[in-house]
Amino acid sequence: MKVEQISIFLENRAGRLADVTRTLSEAGVNIRALSLADTTDFGILRLIVTDHEKAKQALKENGFTVGRTNVVAAEVQDKPGGLHSILSMLSENGINVEYMYAFVQQSGKNAVLIFRFDRTDEAIETLQKHGIRIIPGNELYNI
Amino acid sequence: MVFDVQNETMPRDELESLQLKRLKYLAGKVYHNVPFYKQKFDEMGIKPESIKSISDLKNLPFTEKQDLRNNYPFGLFAVPRESVVRVHVSSGTTGKATVVGYTQRDVDNWARLMARSFESCGVNSTDIVHNAYGYGLFTGGLGAHYGAEVLGATILPVSGGATKRQVMLMKDFGPTVLCCTPSYALHLYETALANGISMEDLKLRVGIFGAEPWTEEMRQDIQNKLRLKALDIYGLSEIMGPGVGIECIAAQDGLHIWEDHFLMEIIDPETGESLPPGEKGELVITTLTKEAQPLIRYRTRDITRINPIPCRCGRTHYRIERITGRSDDMLIIRGVNVFPSQIESILLETEGLSPHYQLIIDRKGSMDILEVQVEVDEKLFSDEIKHLQNMEKKIMSHIKEFLGVTAKITMVEPKTIARSEGKAKRIIDRRNV
Ligand SMILES: [Zn+2]
């Protein structure tokens, strides 16, 4: 039920983000979701892509430091309070969210939340028990 | 075992009075025989007779590598050229070569000191020594060679190069002792494996490695791979060659310097002041017995400290710590002496990482600013900002704690730090003052 996410270390220099997107497009990899976290001198770009093996290889060949993490994708109705109910359910069960980001699917009315948990398996169990749909990796890569 | 019991285990008071006797004789000898020293002594208003105790050493002039270059080739000889039986030359990576001459007695002393060094490493007359130090103008090959002969061991004068043939000889002759640089030892290991020779096929027991700086981590690596005891040897051609100092197999902790022949001091490389025992600084050596080309207070540029604690091997000669850097590399940041090697060990000790790094020194107003750039490789990388920031904080606080300077730590992408010929450029000093 987990989703593969790749993360890339970036210095805060003009054009670095564009270097990543160009590398991926040249490798024929599409980006499904993206989030950038940054400080004054560096940033971490997190990506979900159509082919993470290919993406990782292309990025490494171009000198980027690339990491790989398992995250969880949850579907939530795109209406007020949707996110809040998920977050309170997790915190009631003592599960920490390390970080999260969201994107809206082209097709539907639902938003997709990408979570990085400290205890991934327990988080998935809790979400499912409460009727939240977890989107499997294959489905997400091919949206 | 000890090769020369009388001299190597001499009580400290006797050793020190022997040093004083030899120093007084030496001062007179260079004053009367080497114009360079006569001029220096006269300029400083020193007479050889004014030396009354070892502490008077600090009044004598230093000798720098540049002085050897200025007197190229034979200008520092203290004996007629006819009395010189051998000459070695050290290749100058940063300038003109330096020349060193030896009388027959110098060559004999050297061989005996090298024999002491071998025995200190647990080598004896039954051993077979594979000597892969280069033979020729460089002191390494011949220095080890004659020492092994004096000891009565069987020496294989292999010299450098033809590595595949070397590992074949190692298999066929079964040497028990290996002499070479630490990096060549690892190269021999890899070549052996690539040619289907495993360490079980060899009989190596002891490795004596020197002529380039190496770390404790590298020692462990060599010991595990080559399955031998790896010992550090110290020497420099200006002073003699290999065998100025050696680790003992009993302690494997620092190098005994043969103090009956070499008088050592530790100085502050900036001010030239002598530092008290135990402090880290530049090693300065006075050759007490050299005939052909004695040197007074030669500045080795090697950074170390003297350990006066008696050694379990029974030798009374003090030890120096493994050389941790060259004073040429020393940076002064806000009045604090910092060596790149210290930063490197802090990075190594922080999470056991050995990342590429670069030091950038700049000046804002009257303040020196030190920035340590650390390349983020896959081992260091985390997808969480806070992990990387914690790492920065940890490195910063270790540098503050151990070196007493505040540094800004910057995480940079791999390969941003310029490399030339495989070697990274470690220091960029932008203070043009
Ligand atoms: Zn010892």
Side-chain angles (χ1 to χ4, degrees), chain A residues 9 15 26 38 48 51-52 58 67 75 83 88 92 107-108 114 119 139 141:
Chain A
F9 180 84
E26 280 167 9
D38 64 353
I48 291 167
D51 187 338
H52 42 84
E75 197 171 46
L83 175 60
S88 38
E92 275 159 27
S107 54
I114 307 289
R119 288 174 294 157
E139 188 183 323
Y141 311 141

Side-chain angles (χ1 to χ4, degrees), chain B residues 8-36:
Chain B
E8 292 180 57
T9 63
M10 188 182 282
R12 285 301 304 181
D13 53 347
E14 272 179 53
L15 182 58
E16 280 158 26
S17 55
L18 178 66
Q19 287 180 324
L20 178 60
K21 192 180 104 189
R22 288 180 168 171
L23 177 65
K24 284 177 172 173
Y25 175 76
L26 173 76
K29 182 182 152 87
V30 297
Y31 185 79
H32 296 293
N33 293 290
V34 186
F36 165 77

Side-chain angles (χ1 to χ4, degrees), chain A residues 11-101:
Chain A
E11 280 172 38
N12 279 355
R13 280 193 276 136
R16 285 311 273 162
L17 191 53
D19 291 341
V20 172
T21 51
R22 191 184 52 245
T23 302
L24 291 178
S25 92
E26 280 167 9
V29 175
N30 289 334
I31 298 171
R32 289 291 171 231
L34 166 157
S35 133
L36 179 66
D38 64 353
T39 70
T40 48
D41 43 57
F42 67 84
I44 297 170
L45 180 67
R46 302 168 185 136
L47 296 174
I48 291 167
V49 295
T50 47
D51 187 338
H52 42 84
E53 280 303 334
K54 210 194 231 178
K56 198 172 169 185
Q57 199 191 333
L59 288 164
K60 278 171 87 166
E61 277 165 13
N62 281 277
F64 290 98
T65 298
V66 188
R68 214 158 126 169
T69 332
N70 284 324
V71 292
V72 175
E75 197 171 46
V76 57
Q77 281 195 317
D78 194 12
K79 63 171 196 193
L83 175 60
H84 177 72
S85 66
I86 287 189
L87 290 180
S88 38
M89 160 199 321
L90 290 166
S91 93
E92 275 159 27
N93 286 277
I95 293 161
N96 286 319
V97 177
E98 303 286 355
Y99 58 78
M100 61 158 291
Y101 51 100

